[in-house]
Amino acid sequence: MSTLPHGPVPATDPRERKREQRGWYFYDWANSTFFTSVITVFGALYMSSVAAADARDDFARNGPTPCVNPDGTDNYLRDCDISLLGFEFPAGSLWGYLLAVATVVQVLVLPITGAIADRSQYKKRILGFFAFLGAAASALLFFMTDGLWQLGVVLYILGNIGYGASIVTYYSFLPDIATPDERDVVSARGWAFGYLGGGIALALQLAFYLNRDAFGVSESTAVRICFLTSGLWWAAFTIIPLRRLREHQRPHGSEHGASVLRAGFTELRQTISAARAFPLTLAFLGAYLVYTDGISTVVAVSAQYGKEELRFSNEVLIATILVIQFVAYLGGMAHGLVARRIGAKKTILGSLVIWMVVVASAYFIQAGQELQFYAVAAGIGLVLGGTNALSRSLYSQLIPAGKEAQYYSLYEIGERGTSWLGPLLFAAVGQATGSFRYAIIALLVFFVVGFVLVALVPVRRAIAAAGNREPAVL
C-alpha cells in the first residue's frame, strides 16, 4: 500500500481555483435539465400515456373502452392495466413505481461509487462516465414510442443511476476546488447556476412543445424531441467541467482495475464503521434529512395542490415551474452573499424560517387566485436553491479529508431513503381530512423540527472533530 498522504489537495493559486470553480458550476448547469425536464415535466407527462396506449392495443375489442372516464376524459387508473415481470398494475401507477425502483437502485449503487471515487485518482473519469451514461439514456428516450414503454423503464433507471452517481462525484470536488472560506459562496453559485440552466432549457423546450403545430410535429414527437435535447444539453455542457477540473485526490492505495472495485467495497465498510466516530457530522446529516424531505415534498406536491385544491390550469402550473426555476437562481446567489457575512448555519436557519412562512401562506391561497399562487412560488424559489446549496457546503466542512465522495453518497442516499415520509404525510392528511389545505400545512413539521435540530448542532466542534480548518465566518 502507498504511504502517500491522501485527501484533497486544493490549488494554491487563486486564479487556478477560480478557473476550476467556474468549470465546476457548469455541471450544475448541465445536469439540471434531467431533473427539471426529463423527470419533473415531460417524464410525468408522457410515460403513463405511452403505457396506456399499449394497454389500449392489448385490450379486448369487445370490452369497455379502457383508460377513459365516463365523460370521455383520460383516466390511466381505470381499466388500464399493464404488466411487467409478472406484475400487473394500472398504467397511471407506472410513473410512481418507476421512480421508487430507480431510488432503490441508486441506494445500492451510490455508496460503492463514492468509495471507488475516493479510492482512485480518477474522479474526473468517474464523473464523465456517469454523466454521459445519464445523458445518453435521456437522449435515447427519443425512441420510446407507443408500445415501447418497457424501453423507457430501462432508460429512466439508467438515467437516474447516471444522475445520482455523477452528483455524488461532482459534490466531492467542492473541498478540492474551494478553501473553507470560499465553499459557501461557490456552492451557492453552482446551485444557482444550475437552476438558471435548467430554467433556460425548460423554457426553450416548452416554447417548442407549446408551438409544436407550427413545426408540424405531433405531441408525442415534440415530447420525445425534448428528451433528446435534454440528453444533448447534459452531455455538451459536461465537457466544460471535465476540461477545467483537475485530479486533486491522491489515491489511498496502489490498486488498479478490478482491484479498485474490491478496495472500494472495503473502503465503504470502513467508512460506515468509522462514521460513528463523528456523531456531530451524523447529527447535521440527520437534521438535513428532516428538512430536505419537507423541501422536496413541497416541490413535488405543489402542482397537485395547485391543480386539485386550487383548480389552476396546466398553463398556470407550467408557468409556476418556470417562476420557481428563475427565482431560485436569484435566491441561490443571495444565500451565498448572506452566508459570507453571517455564516452558513445562521443563513440556513433563516432560510428555514422563510420556508415556514411560505408553507403557511400556501394554506391561505384562494382558489383561482393566480397572483397569490405565483407569489408563493416565488417564495419557494427564493429559498429552494440556497437552502440546499448551503447545506451542501456546510456538510463539506464536517467530512473527514479523503472521504468526500463516500460521505456525499451517504448524504444522497439518506435524502432518497427518507424522501417518502413527506409525501406519505401529505397523502395521509389529505385522505383523513378531505382537504389538501390541511395536508400542505402539515408539512410545517419538517421545517420546525429541522430548524431545532440544526440549531442544536455545534458546527465548530463538528468541524474540529473532522480534522478540518474552520472558516472565518460560520
Side-chain angles (χ1 to χ4, degrees), residues 166-216:
S166 65
I167 285 290
V168 165
T169 311
Y170 164 69
Y171 284 2
S172 72
F173 272 97
L174 181 57
D176 299 350
I177 64 172
T179 66
D181 293 316
E182 295 172 335
R183 288 181 201 170
D184 292 338
V185 173
V186 170
S187 182
R189 286 178 179 172
W191 211 289
F193 205 49
Y195 277 109
L196 182 61
I200 291 174
L202 179 59
L204 293 172
Q205 290 169 335
L206 286 175
F208 169 72
Y209 173 76
L210 295 174
N211 293 280
R212 58 189 178 274
D213 292 340
F215 293 94

Side-chain angles (χ1 to χ4, degrees), residues 128 152 162 221 293 383 397 403 405 408-409 421:
T221 302
D293 194 7
V383 287
Q397 312 275 9
K403 304 287 187 179
Y408 271 118
S409 69
L421 293 172

Side-chain angles (χ1 to χ4, degrees), residues 105-232:
V105 172
Q106 287 189 69
V107 167
L108 299 176
V109 171
L110 298 193
I112 303 305
T113 302
I116 294 172
D118 283 335
R119 193 76 188 180
S120 74
Q121 68 271 45
Y122 302 118
K123 283 205 293 190
K124 273 207 315 184
R125 296 184 187 181
I126 295 171
L127 171 63
F129 171 79
F130 284 108
F132 290 129
L133 171 66
S138 299
L140 289 173
L141 285 168
F142 176 81
F143 297 102
M144 186 179 61
T145 56
D146 290 348
L148 292 178
W149 61 270
Q150 295 93 338
L151 173 65
V153 168
V154 174
L155 292 175
Y156 266 110
I157 291 175
L158 289 176
N160 273 275
I161 291 173
Y163 177 75
S166 65
I167 285 290
V168 165
T169 311
Y170 164 69
Y171 284 2
S172 72
F173 272 97
L174 181 57
D176 299 350
I177 64 172
T179 66
D181 293 316
E182 295 172 335
R183 288 181 201 170
D184 292 338
V185 173
V186 170
S187 182
R189 286 178 179 172
W191 211 289
F193 205 49
Y195 277 109
L196 182 61
I200 291 174
L202 179 59
L204 293 172
Q205 290 169 335
L206 286 175
F208 169 72
Y209 173 76
L210 295 174
N211 293 280
R212 58 189 178 274
D213 292 340
F215 293 94
V217 298
S218 66
E219 180 178 9
S220 171
T221 302
V223 172
R224 293 188 293 112
I225 290 174
C226 290
F227 288 143
L228 176 62
T229 56
S230 294
L232 294 176

Side-chain angles (χ1 to χ4, degrees), residues 25 31 37 43 56 65 77 96 121 126 146 196 221 271 332 346 391 408 439 465:
Y25 298 153
N31 70 63
S37 298
R56 288 191 183 100
T65 303
L77 295 175
Q121 68 271 45
I126 295 171
D146 290 348
L196 182 61
T221 302
T271 296
K346 292 178 182 176
S391 301
Y408 271 118

Side-chain angles (χ1 to χ4, degrees), residues 338 342-352 390 394 451 454 474:
V338 174
I342 67 173
K345 178 179 176 178
K346 292 178 182 176
T347 308
I348 291 172
L349 291 173
S351 184
L352 292 176
L390 294 182
L394 182 55
F451 179 95
V454 172
L474 188 58

Side-chain angles (χ1 to χ4, degrees), residues 164-380:
S166 65
I167 285 290
V168 165
T169 311
Y170 164 69
Y171 284 2
S172 72
F173 272 97
L174 181 57
D176 299 350
I177 64 172
T179 66
D181 293 316
E182 295 172 335
R183 288 181 201 170
D184 292 338
V185 173
V186 170
S187 182
R189 286 178 179 172
W191 211 289
F193 205 49
Y195 277 109
L196 182 61
I200 291 174
L202 179 59
L204 293 172
Q205 290 169 335
L206 286 175
F208 169 72
Y209 173 76
L210 295 174
N211 293 280
R212 58 189 178 274
D213 292 340
F215 293 94
V217 298
S218 66
E219 180 178 9
S220 171
T221 302
V223 172
R224 293 188 293 112
I225 290 174
C226 290
F227 288 143
L228 176 62
T229 56
S230 294
L232 294 176
W233 176 288
W234 188 356
F237 285 108
T238 295
I239 295 173
I240 297 174
L242 292 181
R243 288 179 63 88
R244 292 199 173 187
L245 290 172
R246 297 189 300 113
E247 294 287 3
H248 296 259
Q249 186 80 358
R250 296 181 185 273
H252 291 204
S254 58
E255 300 92 356
H256 296 281
S259 61
V260 175
L261 181 62
R262 292 193 296 270
F265 279 96
T266 301
E267 186 91 358
L268 176 62
R269 289 195 297 270
Q270 294 173 349
T271 296
I272 293 175
S273 177
R276 290 176 293 183
F278 303 99
L280 298 180
T281 300
L282 297 180
F284 175 77
L285 178 59
Y288 167 76
L289 297 182
V290 172
Y291 66 76
T292 196
D293 194 7
I295 292 172
S296 62
T297 303
V298 169
V299 174
V301 305
S302 58
Q304 182 182 10
Y305 183 66
K307 186 171 186 176
E308 298 186 21
E309 184 68 38
L310 305 177
R311 306 301 178 187
F312 290 125
S313 65
N314 287 338
E315 287 76 13
V316 171
L317 299 178
I318 289 173
T320 302
I321 293 173
L322 291 176
V323 167
I324 291 174
Q325 286 290 129
F326 288 112
V327 175
Y329 167 73
L330 300 175
M333 297 294 287
H335 274 69
L337 296 175
V338 174
R340 179 185 288 176
R341 296 182 64 87
I342 67 173
K345 178 179 176 178
K346 292 178 182 176
T347 308
I348 291 172
L349 291 173
S351 184
L352 292 176
V353 171
I354 298 176
W355 272 109
M356 296 177 205
V357 174
V358 168
V359 172
S361 299
Y363 175 86
F364 294 102
I365 297 176
Q366 297 174 333
Q369 294 296 313
E370 296 178 10
L371 290 180
Q372 294 179 11
F373 194 57
Y374 289 144
V376 170
I380 291 174

